[in-house]
Amino acid sequence: MTNFSNTFLNSLQKNKILLWLLILAITLLWGYAWVLMKASLDYMGPFTFSAFRFGVGSLTLLLVMWLMKLGLPPRRYWKPIVIVGILQTSVVFLLVMYGLRFVDAGKSSVLLYSMPMWSSILALKFLGEKITPPKFTGLMIGMLGLLTILGWDIWVGQNIEVIFGELLIIIAAISWAISNVYYRINLQQLAKIQASAYQMLFGTIGIIIAALVMEWNQPIVLNVHSIYYILFTGVLASALCFTVWFLILSLIDMVTATISTLLVPMFGLVFSSLLLNEKMSAGVAVGSGMIIAGILIAQITKKRGIHSHD
C-alpha cells in the first residue's frame, strides 16, 4: 500500500494535469456541499449536523485505515494532530455552520474562501515562501473577484445578524489558514490518511461537545434528505476531500494550493442559485471570471519551476 501511495504521489508530481483534475474534483464537491450544509438546517441544529457529518467522515477514514492495516501515528504527532483537528474541523465548521443561519450559502462560501489571502500571508512569514509577482497578482485578482461577488451589500444596508454571521465565517477562514501552515510545519511527514482521520476524529469530539451544550433539546429529523446530506458531506466532502487536500498541500506550495480553492465559492454560488434559488447577479459572473483569471495568472511561474517553493 505504501508503494502504491509513493507511486501515486510521484505520478501527481510529474503530471500537473492529473493534480489539477484532483483540485477541480474536490473544489466541485466542496462547492456542492455548501448547498447541503445550508439545507440541513431545516432538519437539525448546525452543530448537530456537523457532529453527524464529521462523525461519519472520521469513521469512514478509520475503517479505510483498518483495511489498509495502518496503525496509530507515532507519539510525536499526537499534539499537532489535536491542534489541527481543533483549528480545521472544530473551529472552522462550528463557526461556519452557525454563520449559515444568518448568511446565504453562496455568500458564506465566498467569505470562507478569503482563506488563501490569510494562508499566503502566514506562508510568507512562517514557511519562508516568496510570493512571486504573478502569484501576488493572481491572489489580488482572485480576492477582488470575491469582493465583486459579495457586492455592495456587505458594506451597506446589512442587518446586525448578517454582519455577525459574516464575521464568524471570516474568523473560520483565518483558523483554516493557520491550520494549513501548522500542518505543513508539523505533520508534513505523516501519512495523509492518518493526518486526515485523526485530526477529524479530535475535531469531531470538539463539535460533539458543542452540540451537546448548545443543542441538547433541539429536534433532529432523520429522513431520506437529511441522511443523504450527512452521508455526502461526511464521506465525500470530508473524508475524501480533506485527505486529498492534505495530499495537495504536501505537493505544491501553500500559495498555489490555497489560490486554487477560490474555485469553491464559484461552484458554491452556481449550485446555490440552481438548487436553493439564491440570486445570481452580474457581479457574481464578473467576480467568478476574475477568480479563474487570478488562478491562471498565479500559475505562470509554475512553467519555469514546477517543484520549487519559489
Side-chain angles (χ1 to χ4, degrees):
M1 192 57 82
T2 309
N3 288 341
F4 170 76
S5 302
N6 290 339
T7 309
F8 183 61
L9 277 172
N10 288 336
S11 65
L12 273 181
Q13 272 183 317
K14 290 182 186 122
N15 188 342
K16 290 291 153 182
I17 293 170
L18 188 58
L19 181 64
W20 276 96
L21 283 173
L22 261 187
I23 289 171
L24 187 65
I26 70 162
T27 51
L28 258 172
L29 289 171
W30 274 342
Y32 175 57
W34 279 93
V35 173
L36 306 188
M37 285 154 62
K38 179 76 173 178
S40 73
L41 299 178
D42 294 336
Y43 301 98
M44 62 194 77
F47 299 165
T48 305
F49 172 76
S50 295
F52 277 125
R53 170 189 176 172
F54 289 105
V56 166
S58 303
L59 290 173
T60 303
L61 287 173
L62 291 170
L63 177 64
V64 170
M65 280 176 41
W66 179 71
L67 292 171
M68 289 170 68
K69 296 184 167 54
L70 274 174
L72 293 172
R75 187 178 294 175
R76 69 182 181 277
Y77 289 123
W78 282 103
K79 184 183 166 189
I81 286 170
V82 172
I83 290 169
V84 169
I86 290 166
L87 288 172
Q88 182 167 296
T89 300
S90 303
V91 173
V92 172
F93 287 94
L94 286 171
L95 294 179
V96 162
M97 288 303 297
Y98 198 74
L100 272 171
R101 297 173 69 166
F102 313 109
V103 189
D104 283 352
K107 188 174 283 188
S108 300
S109 66
V110 172
L111 289 168
L112 184 64
Y113 285 89
S114 62
M115 176 271 286
M117 181 177 68
W118 312 114
S119 283
S120 300
I121 293 163
L122 292 169
L124 203 64
K125 181 161 175 57
F126 295 104
L127 299 178
E129 287 188 6
K130 292 186 184 72
I131 300 185
T132 58
K135 277 186 197 164
F136 180 76
T137 307
L139 181 64
M140 287 302 103
I141 291 171
M143 299 313 294
L144 280 172
L146 291 187
L147 285 175
T148 306
I149 286 169
L150 286 171
W152 286 109
D153 63 341
I154 192 167
W155 313 112
V156 293
Q158 292 272 53
N159 75 46
I160 195 73
E161 280 194 338
V162 174
I163 292 169
F164 174 67
E166 289 169 349
L167 273 174
L168 290 182
I169 295 164
I170 290 166
I171 295 166
I174 295 168
S175 182
W176 187 6
I178 294 168
S179 87
N180 286 337
V181 173
Y182 187 83
Y183 167 82
R184 276 287 285 271
I185 294 168
N186 296 285
L187 290 171
Q188 177 91 332
Q189 305 309 316
L190 186 62
K192 304 302 166 272
I193 193 164
Q194 282 184 313
S196 194
Y198 287 106
Q199 72 81 17
M200 200 174 290
L201 179 65
F202 288 116
T204 304
I205 292 166
I207 290 171
I208 289 169
I209 292 165
L212 289 173
V213 171
M214 302 290 287
E215 298 174 356
W216 178 249
N217 284 320
Q218 289 190 21
I220 299 170
V221 178
L222 290 176
N223 58 22
V224 174
H225 297 294
S226 60
I227 290 168
Y228 166 67
Y229 301 159
I230 289 165
L231 290 178
F232 185 96
T233 56
V235 176
L236 295 178
S238 303
L240 174 68
C241 285
F242 279 108
T243 304
V244 174
W245 174 243
F246 286 134
L247 178 71
I248 290 163
L249 278 185
S250 66
L251 286 175
I252 56 179
D253 63 88
M254 180 68 67
V255 180
T256 305
T258 54
I259 288 174
S260 69
T261 62
L262 290 172
L263 289 167
V264 178
M266 215 174 71
F267 293 138
L269 284 156
V270 171
F271 287 125
S272 297
S273 68
L274 292 174
L275 303 171
L276 298 178
N277 298 317
E278 292 180 3
K279 67 176 190 285
M280 186 83 138
S281 63
V284 168
V286 172
S288 298
M290 290 170 76
I291 286 169
I292 292 170
I295 291 168
L296 292 173
I297 289 166
Q299 289 307 295
I300 289 170
T301 46
K302 306 313 280 179
K303 302 287 177 280
R304 291 198 296 273
I306 273 174
H307 298 297
S308 73
H309 280 196
D310 303 329

